[in-house]
Amino acid sequence: MSSKNDILNNVKRHISTQYDMPDLDHIAGIEYENKLEKFMQMCKGVGGDARVLAPDEDVNEVIRSLYPDAKVIVSNLPEINIATVNPDDIDDPHKLNGTDLGIIKGELGVAENACVWVPQNVRQKVVYFISEYLVILLDKSFIVNNMHEAYNQIKFNDYGFGVFISGPSKTADIEQALVVGAHGAKGVMVLLK
C-alpha cells in the first residue's frame, strides 16, 4: 500500500461525523444587466481586447488593420480569406511554429471573466497555444453571465478537446515578474459579430 493510501485511510478512520454533499443546484452565480458590456470590460481587464463588428465591416479588413505585420496567418474558417495556412492541411503540428496570427472561432463567452469556450475545431489544436496573437470570432448573442451557465452549455465535438481562453497567456511565477506570452498568445482580440 502506498503512503498516499495510508494517509487517506488514516483520515477516513478518524472522521467521526459524515456530512452529505451540499446541493449546489440552487447556486445561480452572478448576473449582469449588460452581459456584452461586462464581457468587453473584462476582456480589457485580463489584458486582451474585444470589439463589436459593425454589420457592414469586413472581418478580414478589420483583422488586417489590427495586425498589419502578420505574415503567417493560420485559420480554417471559411469567412477568413487572409489566412496563409490552413491548420487542417498540416500533418505535423511542429510546422505551425512561427505562426504570427491564429484566427479561431469561439462558441461561448463568459461575462464574469472574459473566458471564451473554444472546442477543438481545427485539426491541429496547437494553433490555440503557439500563435503569437489570437483573434477569436464570437457571436455576441452567445455570451452568458458566469461559469455556472457556461458549464451547462459547453459541448465537445468529435475531437473531444476544448479550452477556455481568457486574454493573453501570462505568468508571474518567475522571479516575481509578470511574463506575457509564456504559455500561449501574447495578445488576444475577441471580435464579436
Side-chain angles (χ1 to χ4, degrees):
M1 185 173 283
S2 72
S3 59
K4 174 184 157 189
N5 287 334
D6 289 340
I7 293 168
L8 292 174
N9 286 332
N10 280 332
V11 169
K12 287 178 188 175
R13 248 192 344 265
H14 291 92
I15 294 175
S16 57
T17 308
Q18 296 281 333
Y19 297 95
D20 292 331
M21 290 292 292
D23 178 19
L24 301 177
D25 291 335
H26 66 281
I27 297 176
I30 194 165
E31 293 185 7
Y32 299 98
E33 191 172 313
N34 186 328
K35 293 182 287 193
L36 176 60
E37 183 180 299
K38 184 64 178 179
F39 178 83
M40 293 179 69
Q41 174 191 2
M42 291 306 295
C43 280
K44 289 179 174 61
V46 298
D49 206 353
R51 177 176 169 193
V52 177
L53 294 171
D56 61 338
E57 277 188 295
D58 180 347
V59 68
N60 292 285
E61 289 176 13
V62 169
I63 294 170
R64 184 44 80 191
S65 71
L66 292 169
Y67 302 94
D69 298 329
K71 297 196 179 6
V72 180
I73 301 172
V74 175
S75 184
N76 68 347
L77 301 176
E79 65 266 36
I80 301 302
N81 60 31
I82 59 172
T84 59
V85 177
N86 183 331
D88 295 343
D89 296 338
I90 304 296
D91 290 327
D92 180 5
H94 295 92
K95 292 181 180 174
L96 292 170
N97 191 16
T99 297
D100 297 316
L101 180 64
I103 305 168
I104 61 178
K105 182 175 174 35
E107 297 290 324
L108 185 71
V110 184
E112 78 175 333
N113 56 13
C115 280
V116 178
W117 172 249
V118 181
Q120 184 176 351
N121 52 27
V122 295
R123 180 176 177 198
Q124 301 297 343
K125 66 185 170 202
V126 72
V127 170
Y128 306 148
F129 310 106
I130 203 166
S131 301
E132 289 290 315
Y133 295 91
L134 269 181
V135 170
I136 304 174
L137 303 182
L138 178 65
D139 185 328
K140 65 185 175 192
S141 66
F142 294 127
I143 296 177
V144 297
N145 287 295
N146 54 61
M147 292 300 286
H148 296 283
E149 292 177 23
Y151 285 131
N152 287 328
Q153 293 185 31
I154 63 173
K155 295 180 190 110
F156 291 90
N157 56 25
D158 293 340
Y159 288 112
F161 175 85
V163 63
F164 278 106
I165 298 174
S166 180
S169 166
K170 48 200 161 305
T171 184
D173 60 352
I174 302 169
E175 297 182 10
Q176 298 180 345
L178 180 63
V179 178
V180 177
H183 309 101
K186 292 183 200 174
V188 174
M189 167 64 79
V190 180
L191 294 179
L192 299 142
K193 303 188 279 180

Short mmCIF file of all heavy atoms in Angstrom, two decimals, residues 111-162:
data_model
loop_
_atom_site.label_atom_id
_atom_site.label_comp_id
_atom_site.label_asym_id
_atom_site.label_seq_id
_atom_site.Cartn_x
_atom_site.Cartn_y
_atom_site.Cartn_z
N ALA A 111 -19.21 36.50 -19.36
CA ALA A 111 -19.07 37.91 -18.98
C ALA A 111 -18.22 38.11 -17.73
O ALA A 111 -17.45 39.06 -17.65
CB ALA A 111 -20.45 38.53 -18.77
N GLU A 112 -18.33 37.22 -16.74
CA GLU A 112 -17.67 37.45 -15.46
C GLU A 112 -16.15 37.43 -15.54
O GLU A 112 -15.48 38.02 -14.70
CB GLU A 112 -18.15 36.47 -14.40
CG GLU A 112 -17.59 35.08 -14.47
CD GLU A 112 -18.03 34.20 -13.30
OE1 GLU A 112 -18.32 34.72 -12.21
OE2 GLU A 112 -18.08 32.99 -13.50
N ASN A 113 -15.58 36.74 -16.54
CA ASN A 113 -14.12 36.62 -16.59
C ASN A 113 -13.54 36.69 -18.00
O ASN A 113 -12.35 36.46 -18.18
CB ASN A 113 -13.68 35.32 -15.90
CG ASN A 113 -14.33 34.10 -16.50
OD1 ASN A 113 -14.94 34.16 -17.57
ND2 ASN A 113 -14.23 32.99 -15.80
N ALA A 114 -14.37 36.98 -18.98
CA ALA A 114 -13.95 37.10 -20.39
C ALA A 114 -13.42 35.80 -20.97
O ALA A 114 -12.69 35.81 -21.97
CB ALA A 114 -12.93 38.23 -20.56
N CYS A 115 -13.78 34.67 -20.39
CA CYS A 115 -13.39 33.39 -20.98
C CYS A 115 -14.22 33.14 -22.23
O CYS A 115 -15.39 33.48 -22.30
CB CYS A 115 -13.67 32.24 -20.00
SG CYS A 115 -12.42 32.03 -18.75
N VAL A 116 -13.58 32.52 -23.21
CA VAL A 116 -14.27 32.09 -24.41
C VAL A 116 -14.05 30.59 -24.54
O VAL A 116 -12.92 30.11 -24.51
CB VAL A 116 -13.74 32.82 -25.67
CG1 VAL A 116 -14.45 32.30 -26.92
CG2 VAL A 116 -13.89 34.32 -25.53
N TRP A 117 -15.15 29.86 -24.65
CA TRP A 117 -15.08 28.41 -24.85
C TRP A 117 -14.77 28.13 -26.31
O TRP A 117 -15.48 28.57 -27.21
CB TRP A 117 -16.38 27.73 -24.45
CG TRP A 117 -16.44 26.27 -24.80
CD1 TRP A 117 -17.22 25.68 -25.73
CD2 TRP A 117 -15.66 25.22 -24.20
NE1 TRP A 117 -17.00 24.33 -25.76
CE2 TRP A 117 -16.03 24.02 -24.83
CE3 TRP A 117 -14.68 25.18 -23.21
CZ2 TRP A 117 -15.46 22.79 -24.50
CZ3 TRP A 117 -14.12 23.95 -22.88
CH2 TRP A 117 -14.52 22.78 -23.51
N VAL A 118 -13.67 27.40 -26.52
CA VAL A 118 -13.24 27.04 -27.86
C VAL A 118 -13.10 25.53 -27.93
O VAL A 118 -12.10 24.96 -27.49
CB VAL A 118 -11.88 27.71 -28.21
CG1 VAL A 118 -11.46 27.36 -29.62
CG2 VAL A 118 -11.95 29.22 -28.02
N PRO A 119 -14.14 24.85 -28.44
CA PRO A 119 -13.97 23.41 -28.66
C PRO A 119 -13.02 23.24 -29.85
O PRO A 119 -12.97 24.09 -30.73
CB PRO A 119 -15.37 22.93 -29.00
CG PRO A 119 -16.08 24.12 -29.53
CD PRO A 119 -15.45 25.31 -28.88
N GLN A 120 -12.26 22.18 -29.85
CA GLN A 120 -11.30 21.99 -30.93
C GLN A 120 -12.05 21.93 -32.25
O GLN A 120 -12.79 20.98 -32.51
CB GLN A 120 -10.48 20.73 -30.72
CG GLN A 120 -9.41 20.55 -31.78
CD GLN A 120 -8.52 19.35 -31.53
OE1 GLN A 120 -8.58 18.72 -30.49
NE2 GLN A 120 -7.68 19.03 -32.50
N ASN A 121 -11.84 22.94 -33.07
CA ASN A 121 -12.47 22.96 -34.39
C ASN A 121 -11.44 23.08 -35.49
O ASN A 121 -11.75 23.49 -36.60
CB ASN A 121 -13.55 24.05 -34.48
CG ASN A 121 -13.06 25.40 -34.06
OD1 ASN A 121 -11.88 25.69 -34.16
ND2 ASN A 121 -13.95 26.24 -33.58
N VAL A 122 -10.20 22.74 -35.14
CA VAL A 122 -9.12 22.63 -36.12
C VAL A 122 -8.42 21.30 -35.89
O VAL A 122 -8.45 20.76 -34.78
CB VAL A 122 -8.09 23.79 -36.00
CG1 VAL A 122 -8.71 25.12 -36.34
CG2 VAL A 122 -7.45 23.82 -34.64
N ARG A 123 -7.82 20.79 -36.93
CA ARG A 123 -7.12 19.51 -36.79
C ARG A 123 -5.95 19.63 -35.81
O ARG A 123 -5.73 18.75 -34.98
CB ARG A 123 -6.61 19.07 -38.17
CG ARG A 123 -5.88 17.76 -38.16
CD ARG A 123 -5.51 17.38 -39.58
NE ARG A 123 -4.74 16.16 -39.60
CZ ARG A 123 -4.00 15.79 -40.61
NH1 ARG A 123 -3.96 16.55 -41.69
NH2 ARG A 123 -3.33 14.68 -40.56
N GLN A 124 -5.21 20.72 -35.92
CA GLN A 124 -4.03 20.93 -35.08
C GLN A 124 -4.35 21.95 -33.98
O GLN A 124 -4.27 23.15 -34.19
CB GLN A 124 -2.84 21.39 -35.93
CG GLN A 124 -2.44 20.42 -37.01
CD GLN A 124 -1.96 19.07 -36.48
OE1 GLN A 124 -1.63 18.93 -35.30
NE2 GLN A 124 -1.92 18.08 -37.34
N LYS A 125 -4.70 21.48 -32.80
CA LYS A 125 -5.07 22.37 -31.70
C LYS A 125 -3.93 23.23 -31.21
O LYS A 125 -4.12 24.19 -30.46
CB LYS A 125 -5.68 21.58 -30.55
CG LYS A 125 -4.73 20.63 -29.87
CD LYS A 125 -5.43 19.80 -28.82
CE LYS A 125 -4.52 18.68 -28.34
NZ LYS A 125 -5.23 17.60 -27.75
N VAL A 126 -2.72 22.93 -31.63
CA VAL A 126 -1.57 23.73 -31.25
C VAL A 126 -1.73 25.20 -31.68
O VAL A 126 -1.14 26.09 -31.09
CB VAL A 126 -0.26 23.11 -31.81
CG1 VAL A 126 -0.18 23.29 -33.32
CG2 VAL A 126 0.95 23.70 -31.14
N VAL A 127 -2.59 25.44 -32.67
CA VAL A 127 -2.86 26.82 -33.12
C VAL A 127 -3.29 27.69 -31.95
O VAL A 127 -2.92 28.86 -31.86
CB VAL A 127 -3.97 26.82 -34.21
CG1 VAL A 127 -4.44 28.23 -34.53
CG2 VAL A 127 -3.48 26.14 -35.46
N TYR A 128 -4.06 27.14 -31.03
CA TYR A 128 -4.57 27.91 -29.89
C TYR A 128 -3.46 28.39 -28.97
O TYR A 128 -3.63 29.36 -28.25
CB TYR A 128 -5.55 27.08 -29.06
CG TYR A 128 -6.70 26.47 -29.84
CD1 TYR A 128 -7.23 25.27 -29.45
CD2 TYR A 128 -7.25 27.11 -30.95
CE1 TYR A 128 -8.31 24.70 -30.15
CE2 TYR A 128 -8.30 26.56 -31.65
CZ TYR A 128 -8.82 25.35 -31.24
OH TYR A 128 -9.87 24.81 -31.93
N PHE A 129 -2.33 27.69 -28.98
CA PHE A 129 -1.27 27.96 -28.00
C PHE A 129 0.03 28.48 -28.61
O PHE A 129 0.79 29.15 -27.92
CB PHE A 129 -0.98 26.67 -27.21
CG PHE A 129 -2.23 26.03 -26.69
CD1 PHE A 129 -2.74 24.87 -27.28
CD2 PHE A 129 -2.93 26.59 -25.63
CE1 PHE A 129 -3.90 24.29 -26.80
CE2 PHE A 129 -4.09 26.01 -25.14
CZ PHE A 129 -4.58 24.86 -25.73
N ILE A 130 0.27 28.18 -29.87
CA ILE A 130 1.56 28.54 -30.46
C ILE A 130 1.51 29.88 -31.20
O ILE A 130 2.54 30.48 -31.44
CB ILE A 130 2.06 27.43 -31.41
CG1 ILE A 130 3.57 27.52 -31.57
CG2 ILE A 130 1.34 27.46 -32.75
CD1 ILE A 130 4.19 26.29 -32.18
N SER A 131 0.32 30.36 -31.52
CA SER A 131 0.19 31.63 -32.23
C SER A 131 0.70 32.78 -31.37
O SER A 131 0.39 32.84 -30.17
CB SER A 131 -1.27 31.88 -32.61
OG SER A 131 -1.77 30.84 -33.41
N GLU A 132 1.44 33.69 -31.97
CA GLU A 132 1.90 34.88 -31.24
C GLU A 132 0.69 35.71 -30.80
O GLU A 132 0.69 36.26 -29.71
CB GLU A 132 2.82 35.72 -32.12
CG GLU A 132 4.18 35.09 -32.37
CD GLU A 132 5.04 35.08 -31.13
OE1 GLU A 132 5.11 36.11 -30.43
OE2 GLU A 132 5.65 34.04 -30.85
N TYR A 133 -0.30 35.82 -31.67
CA TYR A 133 -1.51 36.57 -31.37
C TYR A 133 -2.70 35.73 -31.82
O TYR A 133 -2.62 35.01 -32.81
CB TYR A 133 -1.52 37.93 -32.07
CG TYR A 133 -0.42 38.83 -31.55
CD1 TYR A 133 0.83 38.83 -32.14
CD2 TYR A 133 -0.63 39.63 -30.44
CE1 TYR A 133 1.86 39.61 -31.64
CE2 TYR A 133 0.38 40.43 -29.93
CZ TYR A 133 1.63 40.41 -30.54
OH TYR A 133 2.63 41.18 -30.03
N LEU A 134 -3.81 35.87 -31.09
CA LEU A 134 -5.04 35.15 -31.42
C LEU A 134 -6.17 36.14 -31.65
O LEU A 134 -6.31 37.10 -30.90
CB LEU A 134 -5.47 34.26 -30.25
CG LEU A 134 -5.00 32.83 -30.18
CD1 LEU A 134 -5.58 32.15 -28.95
CD2 LEU A 134 -5.32 32.04 -31.41
N VAL A 135 -6.95 35.86 -32.67
CA VAL A 135 -8.22 36.54 -32.87
C VAL A 135 -9.29 35.47 -32.73
O VAL A 135 -9.22 34.42 -33.38
CB VAL A 135 -8.31 37.21 -34.26
CG1 VAL A 135 -9.72 37.71 -34.53
CG2 VAL A 135 -7.31 38.36 -34.37
N ILE A 136 -10.25 35.74 -31.85
CA ILE A 136 -11.35 34.80 -31.63
C ILE A 136 -12.62 35.45 -32.14
O ILE A 136 -12.99 36.53 -31.68
CB ILE A 136 -11.51 34.43 -30.15
CG1 ILE A 136 -10.20 33.87 -29.58
CG2 ILE A 136 -12.66 33.45 -29.97
CD1 ILE A 136 -10.24 33.61 -28.08
N LEU A 137 -13.27 34.83 -33.09
CA LEU A 137 -14.56 35.30 -33.59
C LEU A 137 -15.65 34.69 -32.73
O LEU A 137 -15.66 33.48 -32.49
CB LEU A 137 -14.76 34.91 -35.05
CG LEU A 137 -13.68 35.37 -36.04
CD1 LEU A 137 -14.05 34.96 -37.45
CD2 LEU A 137 -13.44 36.85 -35.96
N LEU A 138 -16.56 35.54 -32.25
CA LEU A 138 -17.60 35.07 -31.33
C LEU A 138 -18.90 35.78 -31.63
O LEU A 138 -18.92 37.00 -31.82
CB LEU A 138 -17.17 35.34 -29.88
CG LEU A 138 -18.14 34.96 -28.77
CD1 LEU A 138 -18.34 33.44 -28.72
CD2 LEU A 138 -17.63 35.47 -27.43
N ASP A 139 -19.98 35.03 -31.67
CA ASP A 139 -21.31 35.60 -31.83
C ASP A 139 -21.71 36.24 -30.50
O ASP A 139 -21.76 35.56 -29.48
CB ASP A 139 -22.30 34.50 -32.22
CG ASP A 139 -23.69 35.00 -32.53
OD1 ASP A 139 -24.12 36.00 -31.91
OD2 ASP A 139 -24.36 34.38 -33.35
N LYS A 140 -21.98 37.54 -30.52
CA LYS A 140 -22.27 38.26 -29.27
C LYS A 140 -23.54 37.77 -28.57
O LYS A 140 -23.72 38.02 -27.39
CB LYS A 140 -22.33 39.77 -29.52
CG LYS A 140 -23.44 40.22 -30.40
CD LYS A 140 -23.35 41.70 -30.68
CE LYS A 140 -24.42 42.09 -31.68
NZ LYS A 140 -24.23 43.41 -32.21
N SER A 141 -24.40 37.06 -29.28
CA SER A 141 -25.60 36.53 -28.63
C SER A 141 -25.29 35.28 -27.80
O SER A 141 -26.16 34.79 -27.08
CB SER A 141 -26.68 36.22 -29.67
OG SER A 141 -26.27 35.18 -30.52
N PHE A 142 -24.04 34.79 -27.89
CA PHE A 142 -23.65 33.61 -27.12
C PHE A 142 -22.76 33.97 -25.93
O PHE A 142 -21.79 33.27 -25.64
CB PHE A 142 -22.96 32.57 -28.01
CG PHE A 142 -23.87 31.97 -29.04
CD1 PHE A 142 -23.51 31.96 -30.37
CD2 PHE A 142 -25.08 31.43 -28.68
CE1 PHE A 142 -24.34 31.41 -31.33
CE2 PHE A 142 -25.93 30.88 -29.64
CZ PHE A 142 -25.56 30.87 -30.96
N ILE A 143 -23.09 35.07 -25.27
CA ILE A 143 -22.38 35.46 -24.05
C ILE A 143 -23.30 35.16 -22.86
O ILE A 143 -24.45 35.58 -22.85
CB ILE A 143 -21.97 36.94 -24.08
CG1 ILE A 143 -20.96 37.18 -25.21
CG2 ILE A 143 -21.38 37.36 -22.73
CD1 ILE A 143 -20.55 38.62 -25.37
N VAL A 144 -22.76 34.42 -21.91
CA VAL A 144 -23.51 34.09 -20.70
C VAL A 144 -22.93 34.90 -19.54
O VAL A 144 -21.85 35.48 -19.64
CB VAL A 144 -23.47 32.58 -20.40
CG1 VAL A 144 -24.15 31.79 -21.51
CG2 VAL A 144 -22.05 32.09 -20.17
N ASN A 145 -23.65 34.92 -18.43
CA ASN A 145 -23.22 35.70 -17.27
C ASN A 145 -21.99 35.15 -16.58
O ASN A 145 -21.08 35.89 -16.24
CB ASN A 145 -24.36 35.76 -16.23
CG ASN A 145 -25.48 36.65 -16.66
OD1 ASN A 145 -25.32 37.85 -16.79
ND2 ASN A 145 -26.64 36.05 -16.91
N ASN A 146 -21.99 33.84 -16.33
CA ASN A 146 -20.98 33.27 -15.42
C ASN A 146 -20.61 31.85 -15.83
O ASN A 146 -21.20 31.26 -16.72
CB ASN A 146 -21.52 33.31 -14.00
CG ASN A 146 -22.86 32.62 -13.88
OD1 ASN A 146 -22.98 31.44 -14.16
ND2 ASN A 146 -23.89 33.38 -13.50
N MET A 147 -19.64 31.31 -15.11
CA MET A 147 -19.16 29.97 -15.43
C MET A 147 -20.20 28.89 -15.13
O MET A 147 -20.21 27.86 -15.79
CB MET A 147 -17.86 29.67 -14.66
CG MET A 147 -16.67 30.52 -15.11
SD MET A 147 -16.23 30.30 -16.84
CE MET A 147 -15.44 28.70 -16.80
N HIS A 148 -21.09 29.12 -14.16
CA HIS A 148 -22.16 28.15 -13.90
C HIS A 148 -22.99 27.94 -15.17
O HIS A 148 -23.29 26.81 -15.55
CB HIS A 148 -23.08 28.64 -12.77
CG HIS A 148 -22.41 28.77 -11.45
ND1 HIS A 148 -22.13 27.69 -10.65
CD2 HIS A 148 -21.96 29.86 -10.78
CE1 HIS A 148 -21.54 28.10 -9.55
NE2 HIS A 148 -21.43 29.42 -9.60
N GLU A 149 -23.37 29.05 -15.80
CA GLU A 149 -24.14 28.97 -17.05
C GLU A 149 -23.31 28.34 -18.16
O GLU A 149 -23.81 27.55 -18.96
CB GLU A 149 -24.62 30.36 -17.47
CG GLU A 149 -25.64 30.97 -16.56
CD GLU A 149 -26.03 32.39 -16.96
OE1 GLU A 149 -25.87 32.75 -18.15
OE2 GLU A 149 -26.49 33.15 -16.09
N ALA A 150 -22.05 28.71 -18.22
CA ALA A 150 -21.18 28.20 -19.28
C ALA A 150 -21.04 26.68 -19.21
O ALA A 150 -21.16 25.99 -20.22
CB ALA A 150 -19.81 28.86 -19.21
N TYR A 151 -20.79 26.16 -18.00
CA TYR A 151 -20.61 24.71 -17.86
C TYR A 151 -21.85 23.94 -18.28
O TYR A 151 -21.76 22.80 -18.74
CB TYR A 151 -20.23 24.34 -16.42
CG TYR A 151 -18.80 24.67 -16.08
CD1 TYR A 151 -18.50 25.37 -14.92
CD2 TYR A 151 -17.75 24.30 -16.91
CE1 TYR A 151 -17.18 25.68 -14.59
CE2 TYR A 151 -16.44 24.61 -16.60
CZ TYR A 151 -16.16 25.30 -15.44
OH TYR A 151 -14.88 25.60 -15.12
N ASN A 152 -23.02 24.55 -18.12
CA ASN A 152 -24.24 23.88 -18.54
C ASN A 152 -24.43 23.88 -20.05
O ASN A 152 -25.28 23.17 -20.57
CB ASN A 152 -25.45 24.53 -17.87
CG ASN A 152 -25.54 24.19 -16.40
OD1 ASN A 152 -25.15 23.11 -15.99
ND2 ASN A 152 -26.04 25.12 -15.60
N GLN A 153 -23.65 24.70 -20.75
CA GLN A 153 -23.84 24.82 -22.20
C GLN A 153 -22.68 24.29 -23.04
O GLN A 153 -22.85 24.08 -24.24
CB GLN A 153 -24.07 26.29 -22.57
CG GLN A 153 -25.37 26.83 -22.03
CD GLN A 153 -25.63 28.24 -22.51
OE1 GLN A 153 -25.23 28.63 -23.60
NE2 GLN A 153 -26.32 29.02 -21.69
N ILE A 154 -21.51 24.09 -22.46
CA ILE A 154 -20.38 23.69 -23.29
C ILE A 154 -20.60 22.28 -23.84
O ILE A 154 -21.21 21.43 -23.21
CB ILE A 154 -19.03 23.78 -22.54
CG1 ILE A 154 -18.98 22.84 -21.35
CG2 ILE A 154 -18.74 25.21 -22.13
CD1 ILE A 154 -17.62 22.77 -20.69
N LYS A 155 -20.07 22.11 -25.04
CA LYS A 155 -20.17 20.82 -25.73
C LYS A 155 -18.82 20.51 -26.36
O LYS A 155 -18.11 21.40 -26.80
CB LYS A 155 -21.24 20.88 -26.82
CG LYS A 155 -22.63 21.09 -26.30
CD LYS A 155 -23.63 21.14 -27.46
CE LYS A 155 -24.96 21.59 -26.95
NZ LYS A 155 -25.35 22.90 -27.39
N PHE A 156 -18.51 19.24 -26.42
CA PHE A 156 -17.33 18.78 -27.12
C PHE A 156 -17.77 18.23 -28.47
O PHE A 156 -18.85 17.69 -28.60
CB PHE A 156 -16.60 17.70 -26.32
CG PHE A 156 -15.96 18.21 -25.06
CD1 PHE A 156 -16.65 18.21 -23.87
CD2 PHE A 156 -14.67 18.69 -25.09
CE1 PHE A 156 -16.07 18.68 -22.71
CE2 PHE A 156 -14.08 19.17 -23.93
CZ PHE A 156 -14.78 19.16 -22.74
N ASN A 157 -16.89 18.35 -29.44
CA ASN A 157 -17.20 17.79 -30.75
C ASN A 157 -16.42 16.48 -30.93
O ASN A 157 -15.96 15.90 -29.96
CB ASN A 157 -16.89 18.81 -31.86
CG ASN A 157 -15.46 19.30 -31.80
OD1 ASN A 157 -14.58 18.60 -31.30
ND2 ASN A 157 -15.21 20.48 -32.31
N ASP A 158 -16.26 16.06 -32.15
CA ASP A 158 -15.61 14.77 -32.43
C ASP A 158 -14.17 14.69 -31.93
O ASP A 158 -13.67 13.62 -31.64
CB ASP A 158 -15.64 14.48 -33.94
CG ASP A 158 -17.05 14.23 -34.44
OD1 ASP A 158 -17.93 13.93 -33.61
OD2 ASP A 158 -17.28 14.37 -35.66
N TYR A 159 -13.48 15.84 -31.85
CA TYR A 159 -12.10 15.83 -31.37
C TYR A 159 -12.02 15.54 -29.88
O TYR A 159 -11.01 15.07 -29.38
CB TYR A 159 -11.41 17.17 -31.66
CG TYR A 159 -11.07 17.40 -33.11
CD1 TYR A 159 -11.71 18.38 -33.85
CD2 TYR A 159 -10.08 16.65 -33.74
CE1 TYR A 159 -11.38 18.61 -35.18
CE2 TYR A 159 -9.75 16.86 -35.06
CZ TYR A 159 -10.40 17.85 -35.77
OH TYR A 159 -10.08 18.07 -37.08
N GLY A 160 -13.07 15.88 -29.12
CA GLY A 160 -13.08 15.61 -27.69
C GLY A 160 -12.19 16.52 -26.86
O GLY A 160 -11.82 16.20 -25.75
N PHE A 161 -11.84 17.68 -27.40
CA PHE A 161 -10.99 18.62 -26.68
C PHE A 161 -11.61 20.01 -26.77
O PHE A 161 -12.22 20.37 -27.77
CB PHE A 161 -9.58 18.66 -27.32
CG PHE A 161 -8.67 19.69 -26.71
CD1 PHE A 161 -7.94 19.40 -25.58
CD2 PHE A 161 -8.54 20.95 -27.28
CE1 PHE A 161 -7.10 20.35 -25.01
CE2 PHE A 161 -7.71 21.90 -26.71
CZ PHE A 161 -6.98 21.60 -25.58
N GLY A 162 -11.45 20.77 -25.72
CA GLY A 162 -11.88 22.16 -25.72
C GLY A 162 -11.12 22.91 -24.65
O GLY A 162 -10.54 22.31 -23.74
#
